[in-house]
């Protein structure tokens, strides 16, 4: 049951980026692992097709707009109008396909190198302080971030 919840919360979106920050999604579609969708454009309106069967273990989106597009894959949280991007593909050519493999591992990093909406374009140089398999977590899970004032080290503990 937990895995199904996570899988149905994935989404592709057409990204809108300003100064290296993802500011919003113009359109999006929820998608499952093993499905693919197509981004199209008609009279200035962009839309994704209803997802259909694709490659096992992957999420795929094809750019069929006739122009270069930015596409992101991320999580569609309950109550949010648009998904939060987790992986960003810039300048996807017309007729090109983006493919993502979903591995539900959450890692926490402590760094001041990024701001909240910054697009991560490579590996994070700081080691993770905490790792958790998302499929093993309850749908609603609360954790506390704690800092040891003596050492300056951070830990995460279940609330």
């Amino acid at each position: 049951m937990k895995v199904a919840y996570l899988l149905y919360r994935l989404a592709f979106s057409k990204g809108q980026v300003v100064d290296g920050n993802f500011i919003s999604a113009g359109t999006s579609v929820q998608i499952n692992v093993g499905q693919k969708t197509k981004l199209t454009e008609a009279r200035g309106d962009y839309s994704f097709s209803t997802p259909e069967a694709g490659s096992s273990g992957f999420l795929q989106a094809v750019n069929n707009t006739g122009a270069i597009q930015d596409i992101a894959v991320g999580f569609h949280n309950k109550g949010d109008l648009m998904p939060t991007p987790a992986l960003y593909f810039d300048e996807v050519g017309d007729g090109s396909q983006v493919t993502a493999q979903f591995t539900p591992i959450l890692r926490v990093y402590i760094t001041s190198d990024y701001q909240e909406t910054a697009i991560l374009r490579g590996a994070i140089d700081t080691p993770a302080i905490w790792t958790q398999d998302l499929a093993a977590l309850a749908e609603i899970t609360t954790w506390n971030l704690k800092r040891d004032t003596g050492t300056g080290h951070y830990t995460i503990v279940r609330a």
Side-chain angles (χ1 to χ4, degrees), residues 3 6-7 10 33 57-59 73-75 100-105 134-135:
V3 173
L6 291 170
L7 294 177
L10 297 170
V33 173
F58 297 93
L59 311 162
V73 63
F75 301 94
Q101 184 175 20
F102 180 63
T103 306
I105 302 296
L134 287 176

Side-chain angles (χ1 to χ4, degrees), residues 1-66:
M1 195 66 136
K2 293 175 189 168
V3 173
Y5 167 77
L6 291 170
L7 294 177
Y8 284 103
R9 294 302 203 188
L10 297 170
F12 273 111
S13 59
K14 180 187 176 309
Q16 295 179 9
V17 176
V18 174
D19 296 328
N21 293 298
F22 192 94
I23 59 167
S24 68
T27 185
S28 67
V29 65
Q30 288 191 16
I31 192 162
N32 244 336
V33 173
Q35 291 184 323
K36 65 180 176 182
T37 184
K38 295 174 185 162
L39 176 63
T40 58
E41 182 271 336
R43 297 177 305 282
D45 290 328
Y46 293 90
S47 63
F48 284 97
S49 64
T50 301
E52 56 189 47
S55 298
S56 179
F58 297 93
L59 311 162
Q60 298 169 305
V62 179
N63 174 12
N64 283 346
T65 64

Side-chain angles (χ1 to χ4, degrees), residues 29-158:
V29 65
Q30 288 191 16
I31 192 162
N32 244 336
V33 173
Q35 291 184 323
K36 65 180 176 182
T37 184
K38 295 174 185 162
L39 176 63
T40 58
E41 182 271 336
R43 297 177 305 282
D45 290 328
Y46 293 90
S47 63
F48 284 97
S49 64
T50 301
E52 56 189 47
S55 298
S56 179
F58 297 93
L59 311 162
Q60 298 169 305
V62 179
N63 174 12
N64 283 346
T65 64
I68 292 171
Q69 301 296 331
D70 296 335
I71 299 175
V73 63
F75 301 94
H76 202 189
N77 299 314
K78 272 185 184 175
D80 288 351
L81 183 59
M82 288 291 173
T84 301
L87 181 59
Y88 179 77
F89 302 91
D90 61 342
E91 298 189 3
V92 178
D94 179 53
S96 295
Q97 172 178 284
V98 297
T99 302
Q101 184 175 20
F102 180 63
T103 306
I105 302 296
L106 176 64
R107 292 180 180 87
V108 174
Y109 302 88
I110 302 292
T111 181
S112 60
D113 294 340
Y114 305 97
Q115 64 183 35
E116 184 176 353
T117 59
I119 296 170
L120 302 178
R121 298 195 183 272
I124 297 172
D125 291 332
T126 303
I129 67 159
W130 186 77
T131 301
Q132 192 72 207
D133 180 351
L134 287 176
L137 295 177
E139 184 174 326
I140 298 173
T141 307
T142 305
W143 300 87
N144 291 323
L145 175 65
K146 295 189 175 196
R147 181 175 184 262
D148 183 312
T149 56
T151 65
H153 294 166
Y154 289 88
T155 57
I156 295 180
V157 294
R158 186 176 292 261

